Amino acid sequence: KWVNREISNFDYLIQLNTMAGRTYNDLAQYPVFPWILRDYTSEELDLNNPAVFRDLSKPIGVVNEKNAKTVKDKYIYLFRYENFEDPLGIIDKFHYGTHYSNAAGVMHYLIRVEPFTTLHIQLQSGRFDCADRQFHSIPATWQALMDNPNDVKELIPEFFYFPEFLENQNGFNLGQLQISKEVVNDVVLPKWAHSPEDFIYKHRKALESEYVSAHLHEWIDLIFGYKQRGPAAVEALNVFY
């Protein structure tokens, strides 16, 4: 159905997540969606320009080419280290010590809506985490991914249908950023989005674009397919702890 374009990219990803055992009922196995854009600074979003899209054939940790060497070197280092320290090879080598989808990441994105607010506070021993570590800006979140090969969070489905998670409708006191002293409130949007609803509309349009339709299978290979494990995963820099 997907190949024949009888169902949307969104529907296909939801069904793949479900068949993979992912569910909204388990934060540790929450549905995972890809970052699909890399342009969060332009005044207008041109979906006819391939340059605005993320390379879906690479794990998010190495979409920025300069991070690829860091990740490869770490893998080689682990190989040397473990051969000396762990001759039984109980712990397999890995490129990333964290994961593209976990409970803390889901709470990170959904901190402004219940029950995730309360779950986040429980995780942080009864208070909100430091403002600088919170999800406060989509452009800044993307830039952090590009700068830090240890941050490999993909997205959640809400980025494509749920504008409310981008607004602090409950008026939570999320603190202020250390350097700029900016108060963390609603999520800062890309310049090309004029409101949370506009962001969701354009982001969903990007997901259903011709470019993503032609390349989505490359990301699916990494997350749900043959590049998850074994030699193909090593070659793709896609091995997780």
Side-chain angles (χ1 to χ4, degrees):
K1 280 187 173 181
W2 178 66
V3 168
N4 293 328
R5 303 206 172 190
E6 293 170 20
I7 59 173
S8 67
N9 292 338
F10 181 89
D11 288 335
Y12 186 46
L13 286 171
I14 285 289
Q15 293 200 36
L16 280 176
N17 272 281
T18 302
M19 286 187 275
R22 291 185 168 273
T23 168
Y24 286 103
N25 298 322
D26 182 354
L27 293 187
Q29 296 289 342
Y30 208 75
V32 57
F33 268 55
W35 283 93
I36 54 169
L37 296 171
R38 64 180 177 189
D39 181 356
Y40 297 95
T41 54
S42 297
E43 298 287 343
E44 298 292 330
L45 182 63
D46 179 8
L47 295 179
N48 294 315
N49 180 5
V52 307
F53 294 96
R54 165 249 180 118
D55 184 345
L56 288 160
S57 70
K58 295 178 180 176
I60 195 66
V62 291
V63 165
N64 185 351
E65 196 60 46
K66 76 177 176 60
N67 290 340
K69 185 177 187 312
T70 305
V71 167
K72 281 179 186 169
D73 288 349
K74 185 174 76 173
Y75 189 84
I76 293 165
Y77 170 77
L78 279 166
F79 177 69
R80 292 180 186 140
Y81 175 79
E82 283 168 15
N83 272 0
F84 174 74
E85 190 75 17
D86 185 16
L88 298 176
I90 294 169
I91 299 173
D92 292 331
K93 290 176 291 175
F94 55 87
H95 293 121
Y96 313 101
T98 181
H99 202 244
Y100 52 76
S101 171
N102 56 43
V106 176
M107 287 181 258
H108 175 77
Y109 287 136
L110 296 176
I111 188 173
R112 289 164 179 79
V113 290
E114 291 288 14
F116 305 98
T117 311
T118 298
L119 291 168
H120 167 88
I121 290 169
Q122 288 173 353
L123 181 69
Q124 297 296 329
S125 305
R127 56 181 174 77
F128 284 112
D129 193 10
C130 155
D132 288 79
R133 285 199 293 264
Q134 287 172 15
F135 175 49
H136 65 272
S137 163
I138 293 173
T141 300
W142 173 256
Q143 193 55 49
L145 281 172
M146 292 302 95
D147 294 341
N148 181 6
N150 297 315
D151 187 353
V152 294
K153 283 192 293 295
E154 289 280 12
L155 297 183
I156 52 176
E158 283 81 353
F159 274 83
F160 300 93
Y161 69 82
F162 186 52
E164 287 82 358
F165 90 101
L166 299 168
E167 299 175 282
N168 187 14
Q169 293 184 352
N170 293 312
F172 294 122
N173 181 3
L174 301 172
Q176 60 183 141
L177 304 179
Q178 286 181 344
I179 296 173
S180 68
K181 303 302 180 189
E182 178 188 348
V183 173
V184 176
N185 192 26
D186 295 343
V187 175
V188 176
L189 303 173
K191 289 180 182 176
W192 46 257
H194 308 301
S195 67
E197 290 76 14
D198 189 46
F199 171 80
I200 295 293
Y201 170 75
K202 289 173 179 170
H203 204 215
R204 180 71 169 263
K205 200 172 176 182
L207 178 64
E208 302 302 338
S209 68
E210 189 59 38
Y211 179 92
V212 174
S213 297
H215 292 275
L216 187 58
H217 66 283
E218 297 169 350
W219 183 82
I220 289 168
D221 286 341
L222 295 168
I223 307 297
F224 300 106
Y226 78 104
K227 291 183 179 178
Q228 289 179 83
R229 294 185 183 173
V234 174
E235 190 177 344
L237 301 179
N238 195 43
V239 182
F240 293 83
Y241 176 68

